[in-house]
Amino acid sequence: MHEDSRRGSRGHATWPPVTLLVLAICGITVTADGYDVVVYGAVIPSLLHEPGWHLTPAGAGLIGSIALVGMLIGATTVGTLTDTLGRRRMLIGCLIWFSVMTGLCATATSPEVFGLFRFLAGLGLGGVLPTASALVGEYSHPKTRNLVFAALFSGFPLGGIIAALTGILVLPRFAWQVMFLVGLLPLLLVLPLAIRSLPESMTFLRAKGRHAEADTIADRWNITSEDAQQGVPTPKEQRPSGTDSGSMSPVRALFSRSYVVATACFLAMTCLCLFMIYGFNTWLPEIMRRAGYSAGSSLGFLLVFNIGAVVGTLIISLAADRFGSKPIITTTYLVSSVAVTLLSLRLPTTVLYAAVALGGVGAMGTQSFVLAYVSKHYPARVGATAMGWTLGFGRLGSMLAPPLLGLIIGAGLAFQWNFYALAVPGVLGALLVGLVPRTPQTAAGYGGVGGTARPLAGQT
C-alpha cells in the first residue's frame, strides 16, 4: 500500500482504495439482494387479491418459505464452493442468476409458477451474503471490520428501503409485476463494474498456487509483500495445540474441536436473527394493515424499519469496533425484543415508528455484527465456508418465520401474537452470545494463527 495511506495499527491503512472498491461492489450486490427479499413482503397484499390465484395468508407464507429453502441451499452450497472455485466468480454468478430469476417472477401466471421462480432466485440470493462477506472481510482492516461489515450489511436494509419506496410509488399505479422487473436493474448497474474491477481473493489464489495472479493484484493495489504475507497461514509448529485445522477441509475445520462450540453458537444466533428479519420484512405491512393502518402507512412502517437498520447499524458499529462484539451483539438482541414488544401495544403512531426503527437496528444490526464476529473468529482460508454455513443454517429461521406468522394471521388471532413470536428470539440470542468461546489462538496467547489475519490486516 502507499505509505501515505497507512493510518491503522502499526502503520497499516484502515481504508485503502481496494477496501472501498470491494465494499462498493459487494455492497451494491447485497442491496440488490435486500431488494429482492423485501419486495415479496411489499407485494403480499396485492398477491392475496390477485384474480384467479385464490392465495391465502398461509399460502403466501409457504411461498416465502420456498424462496428461503432456495437460499439455504444456495448459502451452504455456494459458500462451500466459493473456497474451491473462487469468491469473485461465485459472486458474479450469483448476481446474474438471482437477477434473471427475479425478473421472471413478473411472468408468473399462478402461485405455483411464482413459487418456482422465487425458489430459483433464492439459490442465487443465498450465495451472495457469504461470498460478499468473505471477500469484504479479507480486504478490510481488523480495526474497522465491524464498521465495514455494518456498511456491507446495510446494503440489505437499503434494498428494503428501495423496495418499500418503489412499492409506495408503483403499486397504487401499476401491477405488482413491475416490482419484479425492477429486480433486473443490477444486471445493468453493478455487473459490468464487477466483471471489470472486482479482485479475486488473494488468499484463495495463493492457496491454489496461483501466485502470479495474486502478485498482479498486489501490484495493482500497491499491497506490500508484508501485507500479503499476513494472509498466509502460520506454519504448523507455530500454531497452538488443538488448532491444527490447516490440513482439514473447510467444512471439517468448522466442526473440529477447536471451533465446534463457536460454530454451534453462530449457527443458532443467525437462525434466531434471520427469523426476526424475515418475519418483519415479510409480514410487517400486512400485520399493520390488520391493526388498522392504511396500505400506504403499512409500507411506511416497512420503510422506517429498514431506515432504522441502516442508520442505527452504522452508528453502533463504531462502538463495536471499540468495545468488542459480545457486548454489542447482546445489547442489540435485547433492543430488538423490547422494540417488538412495544409494537404489540396501542401506542401513539410516532412512538410506534420509533419502535419499528429500533426493531430494524436490533434485528439487522445484530446480523451484521454476528457476521463480523464470524469473520474474525475463523482462519481466512475457511472464511467463505464459515459464512456460508452460518447463513445457510440461519435460513432455517428465515424459512420458519413466514409460514408461522402466516398461520397466526390466518388463524384470526390478535395481531399482537405476531410480535410476541418475534420478541422471543432476541432474548434467546442474547443468552447464546455469552456461550461463544474465545478463538483458540487468542486463548493460547497468539495474535493471528491459522491464517486468521487478512491480507490487509495488521495484528490486533
Side-chain angles (χ1 to χ4, degrees):
M1 289 173 290
H2 290 299
E3 291 299 321
D4 60 3
S5 71
R6 294 175 180 270
R7 298 287 185 271
S9 172
R10 300 193 182 182
H12 291 266
T14 53
W15 291 97
V18 67
T19 297
L20 298 176
L21 174 69
V22 173
L23 179 59
I25 294 174
C26 292
I28 296 172
T29 304
V30 172
T31 299
D33 187 348
Y35 175 91
D36 191 278
V37 170
V38 177
V39 70
Y40 181 61
V43 302
I44 278 182
S46 300
L47 296 180
L48 292 175
H49 297 91
E50 178 69 11
W53 281 31
H54 307 296
L55 191 63
T56 64
L62 180 60
I63 290 177
S65 290
I66 290 173
L68 296 171
V69 170
M71 291 184 187
L72 185 153
I73 297 172
T76 53
T77 303
V78 174
T80 303
L81 289 176
T82 293
D83 284 321
T84 302
L85 301 178
R87 297 171 185 180
R88 178 182 185 276
R89 180 185 303 174
M90 296 306 295
L91 184 66
I92 291 174
C94 288
L95 173 64
I96 295 172
W97 181 267
F98 81 72
S99 297
V100 171
M101 293 303 158
T102 297
L104 288 176
C105 288
T107 68
T109 56
S110 68
E112 293 77 15
V113 175
F114 182 84
L116 174 61
F117 286 136
R118 290 296 293 168
F119 169 79
L120 294 174
L123 295 175
L125 290 167
V128 167
L129 268 180
T131 307
S133 298
L135 198 55
V136 166
E138 177 173 339
Y139 282 102
S140 65
H141 192 283
K143 291 292 186 182
T144 57
R145 190 157 299 146
N146 278 294
L147 179 57
V148 168
F149 270 90
L152 174 68
F153 203 78
S154 290
F156 191 92
L158 181 60
I161 292 171
I162 296 172
L165 286 174
T166 305
I168 291 173
L169 296 173
V170 168
L171 291 177
R173 300 171 179 83
F174 305 99
W176 58 264
Q177 287 87 345
V178 175
M179 297 287 290
F180 291 95
L181 292 176
V182 173
L184 292 170
L185 289 178
L187 295 178
L188 301 176
L189 298 179
V190 68
L191 181 61
L193 178 62
I195 292 175
R196 183 175 67 253
S197 303
L198 184 67
E200 180 56 276
S201 160
M202 292 177 63
T203 301
F204 166 79
L205 292 174
R206 294 195 185 282
K208 297 297 182 181
R210 294 158 61 180
H211 299 287
E213 295 177 57
D215 291 340
T216 299
I217 294 174
D219 291 340
R220 179 180 180 184
W221 296 106
N222 297 315
I223 301 172
T224 66
S225 59
E226 176 189 356
D227 294 319
Q229 285 300 314
Q230 293 190 45
V232 178
T234 303
K236 181 176 180 179
E237 63 271 14
Q238 296 181 25
R239 296 187 184 117
S241 177
T243 64
D244 182 18
S245 61
S247 60
M248 297 182 184
S249 69
V251 175
R252 287 186 62 196
L254 292 184
F255 296 96
S256 66
R257 64 176 182 173
S258 299
Y259 294 104
V260 64
V261 174
T263 297
C265 290
F266 287 137
L267 297 183
M269 288 160 58
T270 305
C271 183
L272 294 168
C273 199
L274 291 181
F275 181 95
M276 294 187 292
I277 292 174
Y278 281 81
F280 262 111
N281 278 319
T282 302
W283 284 112
L284 185 60
E286 181 64 16
I287 293 171
M288 300 311 290
R289 189 188 71 80
R290 289 174 180 261
Y293 295 89
S294 66
S297 297
S298 298
L299 284 173
F301 281 106
L302 185 61
L303 178 62
V304 170
F305 175 80
N306 286 283
I307 291 176
V310 172
V311 176
T313 299
L314 290 174
I315 294 174
I316 296 175
S317 67
L318 298 175
D321 280 321
R322 180 173 181 178
F323 299 109
S325 297
K326 276 193 172 184
I328 297 300
I329 295 173
T330 301
T331 301
T332 52
Y333 263 127
L334 294 177
V335 165
S336 67
S337 291
V338 172
V340 171
T341 302
L342 290 175
L343 291 178
S344 68
L345 306 176
R346 292 288 185 179
L347 299 173
T349 303
T350 303
V351 178
L352 288 177
Y353 275 121
V356 168
L358 287 176
V361 176
M364 292 199 180
T366 301
Q367 184 59 45
S368 71
F369 301 138
V370 169
L371 291 179
Y373 200 0
V374 171
S375 170
K376 292 184 289 187
H377 194 85
Y378 295 98
R381 72 176 192 87
V382 299
T385 300
M387 291 291 182
W389 276 79
T390 300
L391 288 165
F393 188 87
R395 297 297 179 187
L396 295 176
S398 61
M399 288 163 53
L400 180 61
L404 177 60
L405 298 184
L407 288 174
I408 293 175
I409 293 173
L413 297 176
F415 73 92
Q416 289 90 342
W417 284 98
N418 292 279
F419 294 124
Y420 300 153
L422 289 169
V424 173
V427 177
L428 297 177
L431 296 175
L432 281 171
V433 177
L435 300 179
V436 179
R438 291 182 297 171
T439 59
Q441 54 266 34
T442 301
Y446 287 74
V449 269
T452 299
R454 303 305 201 266
L456 297 181
Q459 298 295 329
T460 56

